[in-house]
Amino acid sequence: MKKQLLFILLSSSFLWFACESNNENVTTEEELVEEVAKEEESMSYLLPSPLQIAEIFKNSGLTYIGDLTNSTELASSYNTKYSQKLNFGVYSADMAYCIINNQTQSAINYLSTLRELSEKMWMTDVFNTMGLSKRLENNVGEQDSLTTIMADLQIRLDNYLDENGMGYTGPVIFAGAWIETMYLGAKVNQTNSNDKLIYRLTEQSVVLENLLKALEQINEDNDFDELIADLKVINENFDVLEESEEAKLTDEQVEKLSLQVIDLRNKIIRN
């Protein structure tokens, strides 16, 4: 069943989004119960990093195809905060994809692009304090070291957003990263389908549910209505798992899912 799908979380950083009560005094038992229920619900908004998802996909057959990732030349065209956040996530996933496939120079190029976007988003300090380019260059070919560097970046980004009151940005960035990773998985699977990769695509239903909850939680001004609606359309592909003991989508269902993911990803990168 869908709720019973196994999803492996690696031991790196997580984005945790919890809401706090606006009521200073809880005067009745009913109000107390409501607050506890809200807090318990919010605790489920646990999202893995782009690196974690990329590694899970890599271990299941996500091979490297160089021309799949988003062009760094498009970065200058992202002029709204919304497109910058989403495509910061896209480029983060692309950087993770390059790192896990030992494409260090490409990873450095994506790092420069992330820095460019971070300046537009007022997050330059995340990069300035790490010496990331130098660290990447000094660890060419060292898979474990490159993975550690990417994980370190994610931790610092999470902390930066939290410390600067920008926690609402995290789910949007992750949405871009998740969509890009699903896009990479879908495109690679179209080229060379394998059951392990299809299982990984299927298991992402668990992550998508939490992503939707996180986005709905920060959508007080309805800024993300379109993104949420698009993701809900993708989520409908997993409804069949509720009605079946199969833990994997059929080839036909995977193709439908893949086409929708590809369309949404292309919509995002085209601004």
Side-chain angles (χ1 to χ4, degrees), residues 6 36 49 59 96-97 121 177 186 194 203 210 225 247:
L6 173 65
V36 170
S49 72
N59 293 335
Y97 180 57
M121 298 164 63
N194 74 74
E203 288 171 354
N210 277 350
D225 284 352

Side-chain angles (χ1 to χ4, degrees), residues 198-213:
I198 291 174
Y199 272 115
R200 298 294 85 83
L201 289 168
T202 302
E203 288 171 354
Q204 288 299 307
S205 63
V206 179
V207 178
L208 179 53
E209 286 187 352
N210 277 350
L211 172 57
L212 282 167
K213 290 176 183 177

Side-chain angles (χ1 to χ4, degrees), residues 24-25 28 30 33 46 53 65 78 81 102-104 156 166-167 174 189 198 220-221 238 240 243 245-246 259 265 269:
E24 295 183 5
N25 298 312
T28 68
E30 180 179 358
V33 170
L46 187 63
I53 299 180
I65 302 177
Y78 304 135
K81 294 300 181 185
N102 293 313
Q103 302 295 317
T104 308
R156 288 176 184 253
M166 299 171 64
F174 180 80
N189 187 66
I198 291 174
E220 294 181 358
D221 297 325
F238 301 116
V240 295
E243 306 164 2
E245 293 298 327
E246 290 292 328
L259 292 175
R265 182 266 190 178
I269 68 168

Side-chain angles (χ1 to χ4, degrees), residues 10 23 26 67 78-79 91 141 143 165 173 178 215 243 259:
L10 306 176
N23 298 325
V26 180
D67 59 355
Y78 304 135
N79 295 317
Y91 285 128
Q143 179 66 51
I173 290 176
W178 184 83
L215 289 170
E243 306 164 2
L259 292 175

Side-chain angles (χ1 to χ4, degrees), residues 211-239:
L211 172 57
L212 282 167
K213 290 176 183 177
L215 289 170
E216 288 170 344
Q217 181 175 298
I218 64 171
N219 194 36
E220 294 181 358
D221 297 325
N222 301 317
D223 294 333
F224 311 118
D225 284 352
E226 184 177 359
L227 177 60
I228 290 171
D230 288 338
L231 288 172
K232 283 185 175 179
V233 170
I234 290 176
N235 198 36
E236 290 174 0
N237 289 282
F238 301 116
D239 289 344

